Amino acid sequence: MEKSKLTVVSSPHLHCGMDTPNIMLDVIIALMPAAAASVWLFGWRAAAVIAVSVGSCVAAEFLSRLVMKRPQTVGDLSAVVTGLLLAFNLPATIPLWQAALGGVAAIVVAKQMFGGLGHNFVNPALIGRIVIMASFPDEMNNWVLPFHGTGADAVSAATPLANMAAGDGAGYGLFEMFVGMRPGCLGETCVAALLLGGIYLVLRRVITPLIPLTYIGTVFVLTWILGGDPLYAILSGGLMLGAIFMATDYVTSPLNRGGQAVFAVGCGLITVLIRLYGSLPEGVSFAIVIMNILVPLIERATHPRPFGQPRRFGRKGGAQGEH
């Protein structure tokens, strides 16, 4: 009688059915309300910026993997997500070639040079935004009012955060900021659309609400303590976009719940400090990138003790706990 062979494989032995393309597809679906809102608010130029940003990210991923002689990963849709998030962090008036340059920087520099998806230590879309902002500050601060075009006849206006930094008040009502009737980056203006996408991701169990709620709550509380208007603080700028879609990135955020809470509080603290005391009116991008870099230290400090192992430090100061 022939004996059956025992197949030995590494874990996981049971698969939930979710893989990288499925997760990325859910994120893309969650981003669609904000994308539709940006086209509704800023017209065809918003659609062009999104298309160029996504196209440059996909092309950069394909060509970089080809040059590096690595297996193609375009099919996992992560480059599409990076392109969408980068476009959402740009104004509608940005020259298209600059959006494409940001896409190349996001994919090649922040992602593929570190080994690709799962190896990048900072959020690629934010690196692309920071590269554009540092290289072309005038273009990155050219804001226009919704429904007023993006060409020569467009009506320029300051963002709510810029107004508050100048001491002029936000200049827009809470409802106006909630539905996107204010200047800003493509994906940050309509808070209602971002919340809709965030709820979808939570219901699909792609993300948990811990990081977004802790991040937003920290900004709310600290702004109130320091004398600012907490409602304006959470409805203006890119806080909702960053808290829901970028701070929750699997690769660049902590895995355990304690680390996620520390990470989110750190993001909120840095965001408020930059907004209130820095030379820039917005601090979400820099806050998330700084905390991305600190994630290994956070995880080391908050890693749960495995069951059965002694405490690292005992009551009497011993290195391996009580004997």
Side-chain angles (χ1 to χ4, degrees):
M1 183 176 179
E2 185 178 354
K3 295 181 179 180
S4 60
K5 294 182 179 180
L6 179 64
T7 303
V8 180
V9 295
S10 62
S11 60
H13 304 291
L14 297 176
H15 199 282
C16 67
M18 293 293 290
D19 54 17
T20 300
N22 287 333
I23 292 172
M24 295 300 167
L25 181 59
D26 274 334
V27 177
I28 292 170
I29 293 172
L31 289 170
M32 286 300 100
S38 69
V39 175
W40 174 59
L41 293 168
F42 299 106
W44 68 270
R45 196 63 168 64
V49 172
I50 293 173
V52 169
S53 179
V54 171
S56 65
C57 285
V58 172
E61 176 134 337
F62 177 81
L63 293 175
S64 61
R65 301 293 291 189
L66 188 66
V67 170
M68 296 176 181
K69 297 182 179 180
R70 295 173 179 171
Q72 283 296 333
T73 55
V74 173
D76 64 16
L77 302 179
S78 62
V80 177
V81 172
T82 299
L84 284 170
L85 290 176
L86 174 61
F88 283 8
N89 279 276
L90 302 176
T93 56
I94 191 79
L96 297 182
W97 69 270
Q98 293 179 9
L101 178 63
V104 173
I107 295 297
V108 177
V109 177
K111 184 179 177 184
Q112 294 302 331
M113 290 183 68
F114 290 94
L117 183 66
H119 300 278
N120 51 289
F121 67 97
V122 292
N123 189 290
L126 290 179
I127 292 299
R129 180 184 191 273
I130 290 173
V131 167
I132 299 176
M133 186 166 58
S135 303
F136 313 104
D138 292 337
E139 288 81 356
M140 281 294 291
N141 287 281
N142 184 18
W143 314 106
V144 294
L145 288 172
F147 307 117
H148 284 74
T150 55
D153 57 343
V155 179
S156 299
T159 63
L161 284 177
N163 284 335
M164 287 190 288
D168 299 329
Y172 305 92
L174 294 177
F175 181 76
E176 288 178 306
M177 292 194 289
F178 183 75
V179 298
M181 302 299 180
R182 62 173 178 87
C185 294
L186 294 181
E188 71 180 23
T189 52
C190 186
V191 173
L194 295 171
L195 288 176
L196 184 62
I199 293 171
Y200 173 82
L201 292 181
V202 171
L203 293 177
R204 291 285 295 170
R205 297 186 178 180
V206 175
I207 66 172
T208 65
L210 176 60
I211 289 179
L213 291 181
T214 305
Y215 189 175
I216 295 168
T218 300
V219 172
F220 184 95
V221 172
L222 289 179
T223 303
W224 174 69
I225 291 174
L226 295 174
D229 190 318
L231 288 177
Y232 279 112
I234 64 174
L235 292 177
S236 59
L239 176 61
M240 290 291 182
L241 176 63
I244 296 172
F245 291 100
M246 290 182 285
T248 55
D249 177 37
Y250 288 174
V251 180
T252 58
S253 62
L255 297 176
N256 63 82
R257 294 181 65 84
Q260 290 175 357
V262 172
F263 173 82
V265 170
C267 287
L269 174 62
I270 297 173
T271 298
V272 172
L273 290 178
I274 293 176
R275 283 182 173 186
L276 296 182
Y277 304 110
S279 59
L280 296 173
E282 178 61 289
V284 170
S285 297
F286 290 104
I288 296 176
V289 167
I290 291 171
M291 294 307 296
N292 287 161
I293 297 172
L294 296 178
V295 162
L297 297 177
I298 295 173
E299 289 199 315
R300 183 181 302 177
T302 60
H303 192 277
R305 179 167 59 94
F307 179 76
Q309 286 195 6
R311 292 174 180 156
R312 184 173 299 176
F313 298 100
R315 296 178 184 175
K316 297 182 180 180
Q320 294 298 326
E322 297 179 356
H323 297 284

